[in-house]
């Protein structure tokens, strides 16, 4: 099955996904009624003669959920049962058909007669063991070396041999100075890119199911891809949630909201790098609500979530595109811009993998020709994602020339998506800004019909410092969206609020881990629920 993450639905053959029809119970309203026999009115004597047969008692209906918690649990159980049955069906279909067994057992041979056992010889007396020599005292360096060798032997003993999943990478061959396309073999990207497996019915699953149900999803519409991603997102925001939610619970208690609680909430939001603008907007809305009525903690949390979602949704609604994805029937070109070290090339590789897994054809342009080993890094990601890379192995090659060749290759191949990796030296370099403008002019001239997106990659661990530093790209690259990475390694996950409120840019993708599957389209509802999980 192909799950289109850019549309959040499944694109597959309906016959393969069809579940077997459930036969209705005899007492259910869906059961087909048998034609009734003609009624007869027996006389009194007949009635007295016939024995009275007691009708079987109808089965008691299953108890209906009475609270929201019960409804959510029942919804999660139904979704889990469906996903488990679906996974078992896939596993059965993948098993090879049994072949006729060939009897290869050898004919039984007659057992040889046992030879007469020789007489036991007298055992020699054991020699006295020599006294162990006293080991000489080892020097400090010799002791350290011995400890390293012992640790290495322990690691080798615990190591589990893994079968190779792809062919070894061939050594690099010197290429011509012009841009060339390195064809990537259709290999499995990495172990992390394998199909997600259904785990146990634990807190992670029930929380993920509750988030999907709150968005109006039905139990038979849930995908294992979404369950897997929500668990990753929740774990990725653990550091931010620990500092934010722990302080929030400590200040709220069971009493209604007070001005002192709002002051503490202001400190928590600023500490999470939500920004002054977003913090003021949230607190002003809470104060206005408090002036109208008494707000208890549960209502305060619900209202807080609503305000945070509103902040994140405002730029997305203004853009007119709810969920960014490649448009079918035309060339889509996405420029990845940002300073060095924020994860541009890694994000590009994950987006290529996401596009392929969602059923799109993709191509990569390695236009970051100034950074050492940048082209080789892009080629590795292309091989992992089974996507061709247009590159120029010449040192300090012209990025615009690489983009020129990549646009031509994408048009000739009919690719759906062209991902362009751009240079990321400090934005104070005037030449870099000119280079980005030159790349944009090349795209506009060669493919005026293409849909172009310029995505700023932002490292969440840099907080607002990284945001202000990278905003210099806005004019030169004509930014249309933001990708936030490394949310799992920082407690500053609130920077997403600053991006939406201060920069006014829609968040399109977020990364919450180092794996190739840890980057997905942004959903404000899921982000806020993961940020405040447990409340």
């Amino acid at each position: 099955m192909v799950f289109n993450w850019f549309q959040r639905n499944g694109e597959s053959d309906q016959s393969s996904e069809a579940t077997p029809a459930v036969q209705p119970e005899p007492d259910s309203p869906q059961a087909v009624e048998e034609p009734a026999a003609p009624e007869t009115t027996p006389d009194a004597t007949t009635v007295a003669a016939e024995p009275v047969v007691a009708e079987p008692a109808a089965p008691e209906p299953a108890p209906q959920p009475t609270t929201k918690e019960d409804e959510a649990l029942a919804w999660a159980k139904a979704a889990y049962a469906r996903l488990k049955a679906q996974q078992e069906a896939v596993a059965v279909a993948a098993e090879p058909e049994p072949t006729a067994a060939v009897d290869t057992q050898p004919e039984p041979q007659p057992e040889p007669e046992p030879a007469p056992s020789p007489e036991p010889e007298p055992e020699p007396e054991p020699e006295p063991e020599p006294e162990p020599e006293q080991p000489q005292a080892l020097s400090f360096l010799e002791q350290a070396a011995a400890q390293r060798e012992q640790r290495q032997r322990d690691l080798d003993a615990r190591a589990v041999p893994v079968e190779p999943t792809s062919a070894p990478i061939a050594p690099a061959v010197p290429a011509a100075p012009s841009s060339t396309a390195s064809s990537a073999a259709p290999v499995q990207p990495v172990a992390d890119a394998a199909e997600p497996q259904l785990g146990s019915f634990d807190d992670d699953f029930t929380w993920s199911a509750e988030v999907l149900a709150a968005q109006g999803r039905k139990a038979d519409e849930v995908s294992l891809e979404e369950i897997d991603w929500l668990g990753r997102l929740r774990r990725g925001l653990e550091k931010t949630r620990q500092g934010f939610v722990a302080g929030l619970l400590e200040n709220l208690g069971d009493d209604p909201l007070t001005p002192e609680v709002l002051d503490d909430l202001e400190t928590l939001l600023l500490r999470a790098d939500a920004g002054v603008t977003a913090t003021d907007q949230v607190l002003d809305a809470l104060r206005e609500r408090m002036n109208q009525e008494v707000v208890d903690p549960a209502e305060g949390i619900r209202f807080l979530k609503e305000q945070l979602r509103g902040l994140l949704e405002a730029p997305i609604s203004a853009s007119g595109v709810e969920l960014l994805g490649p448009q079918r029937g035309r060339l889509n070109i996405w420029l990845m811009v940002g300073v060095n070290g924020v994860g541009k090339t890694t994000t590009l590789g994950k987006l290529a993998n996401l596009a392929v897994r969602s059923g799109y054809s993709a191509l990569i342009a390695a236009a970051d020709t100034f950074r050492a080993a940048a082209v080789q890094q892009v080629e590795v990601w292309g091989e992992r994602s089974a996507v061709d890379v247009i590159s120029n192995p010449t040192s300090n090659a012209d990025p615009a020339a690489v983009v020129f060749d990549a646009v031509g290759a994408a048009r000739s191949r009919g690719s759906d998506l062209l991902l362009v990796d751009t240079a990321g030296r400090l934005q104070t370099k005037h030449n870099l800004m000119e280079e980005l403008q030159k790349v944009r002019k090349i795209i506009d001239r060669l493919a005026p019909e293409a849909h172009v997106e310029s995505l700023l990659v932002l490292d969440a661990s840099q907080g607002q410092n990284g945001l202000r530093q990278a905003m210099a790209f806005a004019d030169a690259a004509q930014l249309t969206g933001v990708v936030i990475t490394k949310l799992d390694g920082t407690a500053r996950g609130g920077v997403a609020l600053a991006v939406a409120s201060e920069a006014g840019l829609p968040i399109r993708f977020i990364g919450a881990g180092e794996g190739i599957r840890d980057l997905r389209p942004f959903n404000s509802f899921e982000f806020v629920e993961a940020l405040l999980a447990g409340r």
Side-chain angles (χ1 to χ4, degrees):
M1 177 183 177
V2 175
F3 185 83
N4 190 343
W5 269 102
F6 298 105
Q7 297 179 1
R8 291 297 293 270
N9 59 14
E11 292 183 352
S12 62
D13 186 6
Q14 296 295 333
S15 61
S16 63
E17 289 296 315
T19 55
V22 179
Q23 298 295 333
E25 298 292 336
D27 297 316
S28 64
Q30 290 85 2
V32 179
E33 298 182 358
E34 297 291 339
E39 297 181 358
T40 57
T41 307
D43 53 14
T45 58
T46 307
V47 173
E50 293 180 354
V52 179
V53 180
E55 296 183 358
E60 297 182 0
Q64 299 295 329
T66 57
T67 63
K68 290 184 178 181
E69 290 77 7
D70 294 338
E71 292 178 0
L73 184 60
W75 195 97
K77 289 181 177 179
Y80 186 84
R82 172 183 169 273
L83 292 176
K84 186 175 181 180
Q86 188 179 52
Q87 192 171 33
E88 291 176 351
V90 172
V92 170
E95 291 181 358
E97 297 181 359
T99 56
V102 181
D103 190 8
T104 58
Q105 296 181 356
E107 297 181 0
Q109 299 293 334
E111 297 181 358
E113 296 181 359
S117 58
E119 296 181 0
E121 298 180 357
E123 298 181 357
E125 295 182 1
E127 298 180 358
E129 297 181 358
E131 296 182 1
E133 299 180 358
Q134 296 295 332
Q136 299 180 355
L138 300 178
S139 64
F140 178 78
L141 295 178
E142 291 174 341
Q143 292 178 5
Q147 292 175 359
R148 287 196 299 269
E149 293 179 0
Q150 182 62 34
R151 284 197 300 269
Q152 185 62 40
R153 285 194 296 268
D154 294 343
L155 291 175
D156 294 340
R158 292 195 300 267
V160 179
V162 180
E163 296 294 333
T165 58
S166 61
I169 301 176
V173 179
S178 59
S179 300
T180 58
S182 59
S183 179
V187 297
Q188 191 73 9
V190 284
D192 187 49
E195 292 297 327
Q197 299 297 319
L198 184 63
S200 57
F201 189 77
D202 53 8
D203 182 61
D204 269 354
F205 185 91
T206 55
W207 177 84
S208 302
E210 183 179 354
V211 171
L212 292 174
Q215 298 181 75
R217 305 291 296 278
K218 297 181 180 178
D220 57 354
E221 296 176 348
V222 177
S223 169
L224 189 55
E225 287 266 1
E226 295 174 291
I227 294 289
D228 179 69
W229 162 244
L230 286 175
R232 292 169 181 260
L233 177 62
R234 185 189 185 192
R235 292 188 296 270
L237 290 175
E238 181 68 24
K239 290 185 178 181
T240 303
R241 185 169 60 252
Q242 284 179 352
F244 185 76
V245 176
L248 189 62
L249 296 179
E250 182 180 350
N251 292 318
L252 282 180
D254 297 327
D255 299 328
L257 296 187
T258 62
E260 291 76 16
V261 171
L262 294 187
D263 292 340
D264 295 332
L265 178 59
E266 179 180 11
T267 303
L268 293 174
L269 287 171
L270 292 176
R271 190 178 299 168
D273 248 348
V276 177
T277 303
T279 301
D280 289 344
Q281 185 172 341
V282 171
L283 293 179
D284 290 344
L286 282 171
R287 290 190 180 98
E288 183 179 355
R289 184 67 179 271
M290 287 175 53
N291 293 334
Q292 297 175 357
E293 58 180 342
V294 177
V295 182
D296 59 12
E299 177 62 20
I301 291 293
R302 188 200 65 79
F303 190 72
L304 176 62
K305 290 181 178 181
E306 181 181 326
Q307 293 300 314
L308 297 180
R309 287 196 298 266
L311 280 174
L312 296 171
E313 279 292 330
I316 298 176
S317 301
S319 68
V321 180
E322 186 69 21
L323 198 62
L324 180 63
Q327 300 180 10
R328 299 284 189 181
R330 64 186 299 188
L331 176 60
N332 299 267
I333 303 177
W334 291 0
L335 296 172
M336 312 303 297
V337 300
V339 298
N340 285 339
V342 296
K344 270 197 326 297
T345 304
T346 301
T347 300
L348 180 141
K350 293 179 181 181
L351 281 177
N353 178 267
L354 183 63
V356 171
R357 294 180 64 89
S358 299
Y360 296 90
S361 58
L363 194 66
I364 296 176
D368 186 2
T369 58
F370 301 123
R371 182 168 62 90
V375 175
Q376 289 80 359
Q377 184 183 5
V378 173
E379 290 176 350
V380 170
W381 276 106
E383 182 180 359
R384 291 179 177 179
S385 304
V387 175
D388 290 348
V389 177
I390 307 298
S391 62
N392 190 330
T394 305
S395 177
N396 294 331
D398 186 7
V402 177
V403 174
F404 183 94
D405 294 339
V407 172
R411 295 186 65 180
S412 62
R413 300 183 186 190
S415 301
D416 297 321
L417 178 62
L418 173 61
L419 295 165
V420 181
D421 188 22
T422 63
R425 293 176 300 178
L426 290 177
Q427 76 281 2
T428 54
K429 302 292 184 181
H430 182 67
N431 293 338
L432 176 60
M433 298 295 105
E434 289 184 346
E435 197 65 47
L436 288 174
Q437 294 175 353
K438 184 178 178 182
V439 168
R440 189 60 186 259
K441 290 178 181 178
I442 290 291
I443 293 174
D444 294 339
R445 180 165 61 87
L446 291 181
E449 78 288 351
H451 175 71
V452 183
E453 292 284 341
S454 186
L455 301 177
L456 171 67
V457 181
L458 180 64
D459 184 354
S461 63
Q462 296 182 1
Q464 294 202 32
N465 293 331
L467 174 63
R468 290 187 175 87
Q469 182 186 36
M471 281 307 297
F473 286 96
D475 297 332
Q478 304 175 27
L479 297 179
T480 59
V482 175
V483 181
I484 300 181
T485 64
K486 306 180 184 180
L487 280 170
D488 60 312
T490 179
R492 299 178 176 182
V495 70
L497 301 170
V499 170
S501 59
E502 297 183 15
L505 293 171
I507 303 173
R508 293 307 187 184
F509 299 92
I510 54 173
E514 297 179 358
I516 199 171
R517 298 168 61 87
D518 292 330
L519 182 82
R520 288 294 183 263
F522 178 74
N523 182 297
S524 62
F525 184 88
E526 295 172 356
F527 179 83
V528 172
E529 290 297 326
L531 183 64
L532 297 176
R535 290 297 297 169

